[in-house]
Amino acid sequence: MDVFDRAALGPLTLRNRVIKAATFEGMATGALVSDDLIAFHRAHAAGGVGMTTVAYCAVAPEGRTQRHQLWMRPDALPGLRRLTDAVHAAGAAASAQLGHAGPVANARSTRLPALAPTASFNPQAMRLTRRATVADIERITAAHASAARLAVEAGFDAVEIHLGHNYFASSFLSPRLNKRRDEYGGSLANRAKVALGAARAVRGAVGDRIAILAKLNMDDGVPGGLWLDESLQVARWLERDGSLDALELTAGSSLLNPMYLFRGDAPVAEFAATFKQPVRLGLRLAGGRFIRAYPYREAYLLESARQFRAALKLPLVLLGGISERATMDLAMAEGFEFVAMARALLREPDLINRLRERPGTRSLCVHCNKCMPTIFTGTHCVLAREANEEKDAVQR
């Protein structure tokens, strides 16, 4: 199996096995598709990926992390259709990441209550989250189905259900965040109902018309959070249900430990600069406790992901530290059907084309993670922008 072979993903055939992972672009205007967002995904499509993933398409207005974020509704349809047309014209498939931010939502920005399994405090918003009612859960589950139907109408080839990073579904999976005593709390079977319900709702809404993936935490990276043994069982249940065509394996908590997924440098000062007081001061003084640095190495999630590969027949997407052809080849040799890339492609959107032509090509990404704070103003690689500005200055 070669990473540049054509590959089946449910009813879809991709031109290769490389997926541009969902990285929040910060390019929506009025919670709608912008020309910048279209150009961003067109560049990755033209750069050679098999499929590019639009992040983050909230299924409900309170499910956005901030108010300018895209959410799936009829008003968004014309822009979404322009985006998928542009991606298809460049030869790639398009996927929409569907989800609800839950306790990660910034209620100060969205001006709507953030929902969580159990009421808690969000330091970013300086607000309390509200305990989701059963009616909220049912509404959000139905909203996943509606969003998936809209994605089909907009011309997407796939949807990716966000079950990770302590967003809504993931927060219910977490023993640390979910202290409920009703049918959605306590046992793993109860805590998994939101995640399983969202996947079933999407499959019921779109059938086999498009491919369905889900992004699932292997572990939350925090004491008392979801750990690998329980995540494996959730993955088995997802496979049993037949709701998914593939599972993308991730880790970490956007709420409690975001850098657990993004190994490399921890840009505390850059993150602090994006916030207003008093959050800015708090991050400057104590940000190192929240934005922690973890050493980078290629395929850093592989060891955990191997356990899922051994337990499941479901196609799997390996994420985390994939920036070299040798790492892609290793993933294929280990039995993973796809690889997902993010930061390396932010640095060089055309990296896939060059890796196919010259396998020894080295990524220019240095894992400084300074791209992460740019999500609030339009995601980009800081080093690439600086290099382009220097080049333009010389030419002038």
Side-chain angles (χ1 to χ4, degrees):
M1 188 161 58
D2 188 277
V3 72
F4 289 110
D5 289 342
R6 291 171 65 84
L9 176 58
L12 178 63
T13 299
L14 301 182
R15 64 182 176 185
N16 60 51
R17 297 175 182 274
V18 182
I19 297 172
K20 164 62 179 67
T23 49
F24 177 47
E25 306 91 351
M27 296 174 186
T29 303
L32 296 168
V33 172
S34 67
D35 290 342
D36 285 343
L37 184 62
I38 293 172
F40 179 89
H41 286 284
R42 182 194 297 119
H44 290 296
V49 298
M51 183 165 72
T52 184
T53 311
V54 181
Y56 159 86
C57 305
V59 300
E62 83 285 350
R64 296 169 289 170
T65 57
Q66 48 95 354
R67 69 176 174 273
H68 296 297
Q69 197 169 57
L70 179 68
W71 66 281
M72 300 293 276
R73 63 204 192 278
D75 287 351
L77 186 58
L80 291 169
R81 171 57 77 174
R82 288 199 300 125
L83 190 156
T84 58
D85 285 347
V87 169
H88 292 153
S95 177
Q97 185 187 64
L98 306 181
H100 190 288
V104 182
N106 186 336
R108 182 187 294 270
S109 176
T110 65
R111 299 164 188 166
L112 295 166
L115 301 176
T118 312
S120 59
F121 182 71
N122 182 325
Q124 177 184 334
M126 302 297 286
R127 294 276 199 283
L128 285 172
T129 60
R130 179 169 67 77
R131 182 183 187 273
T133 65
V134 172
D136 287 325
I137 295 169
E138 292 172 348
R139 172 180 58 82
I140 291 166
T141 301
H144 278 78
S146 297
R149 283 190 288 265
L150 189 70
V152 173
E153 192 174 352
F156 281 97
D157 306 283
V159 292
E160 176 188 287
I161 309 165
H162 203 327
L163 306 179
H165 304 167
N166 283 170
Y167 281 39
F168 190 72
S170 175
S171 67
F172 274 82
L173 287 170
S174 166
R176 176 166 172 164
L177 298 175
N178 185 350
K179 304 298 185 183
R180 297 172 74 104
R181 296 183 178 179
D182 64 0
E183 66 267 38
Y184 292 98
S187 69
L188 178 62
N190 282 354
R191 288 184 278 119
K193 285 180 179 178
V194 170
L196 297 176
R200 291 168 186 157
V202 169
R203 177 62 77 187
V206 303
D208 294 326
R209 287 180 288 172
I210 59 174
I212 303 173
L213 303 89
K215 178 173 279 189
L216 179 70
N217 267 17
M218 293 184 287
D219 69 274
D220 292 345
V222 295
L226 182 74
W227 199 245
L228 193 142
D229 57 344
E230 288 195 328
S231 178
L232 265 172
Q233 181 57 60
V234 175
R236 291 188 184 100
W237 287 334
L238 287 165
E239 180 177 67
R240 174 204 63 192
D241 284 356
S243 302
L244 305 179
D245 295 305
L247 188 65
E248 183 175 312
L249 302 169
T250 187
S253 168
S254 296
L255 189 67
L256 301 170
N257 190 7
M259 295 304 296
Y260 189 73
L261 171 61
F262 301 100
R263 309 295 167 92
D265 297 344
V268 176
E270 289 83 355
F271 263 115
T274 66
F275 290 94
K276 296 180 179 179
Q277 300 294 8
V279 176
R280 178 182 296 180
L281 179 61
L283 280 174
R284 287 192 179 277
L285 294 176
R289 299 177 186 175
F290 175 64
I291 305 171
R292 307 169 192 170
Y294 292 90
Y296 178 87
R297 59 182 172 84
E298 285 284 301
Y300 52 79
L301 293 182
L302 177 58
E303 185 175 350
S304 294
R306 282 177 174 138
Q307 298 184 56
F308 286 76
R309 183 64 291 163
L312 303 170
K313 295 180 180 178
L314 187 68
L316 298 180
V317 184
L318 183 66
L319 172 74
I322 298 169
S323 61
E324 300 176 3
R325 175 64 189 270
T327 313
M328 298 177 180
D329 292 341
L330 174 62
M332 299 296 105
E334 294 264 358
F336 295 90
E337 284 78 6
F338 302 92
V339 295
M341 300 174 65
R343 286 169 292 176
L345 296 183
L346 292 180
R347 182 70 174 89
E348 302 168 278
D350 65 341
L351 180 60
I352 303 307
N353 282 339
R354 291 189 293 107
L355 281 170
R356 185 178 64 246
E357 296 164 3
R358 296 182 296 279
T361 298
R362 304 287 295 186
S363 167
L364 295 179
C365 180
V366 297
H367 320 293
C368 66
N369 291 317
K370 291 182 179 179
C371 55
M372 291 179 62
T374 70
I375 65 174
F376 300 104
T377 55
T379 299
H380 63 273
C381 174
V382 173
L383 300 183
R385 179 164 292 185
E386 289 174 351
N388 289 335
E389 289 172 351
E390 289 177 6
K391 181 179 178 181
D392 291 342
V394 170
Q395 290 177 344
R396 286 197 298 268

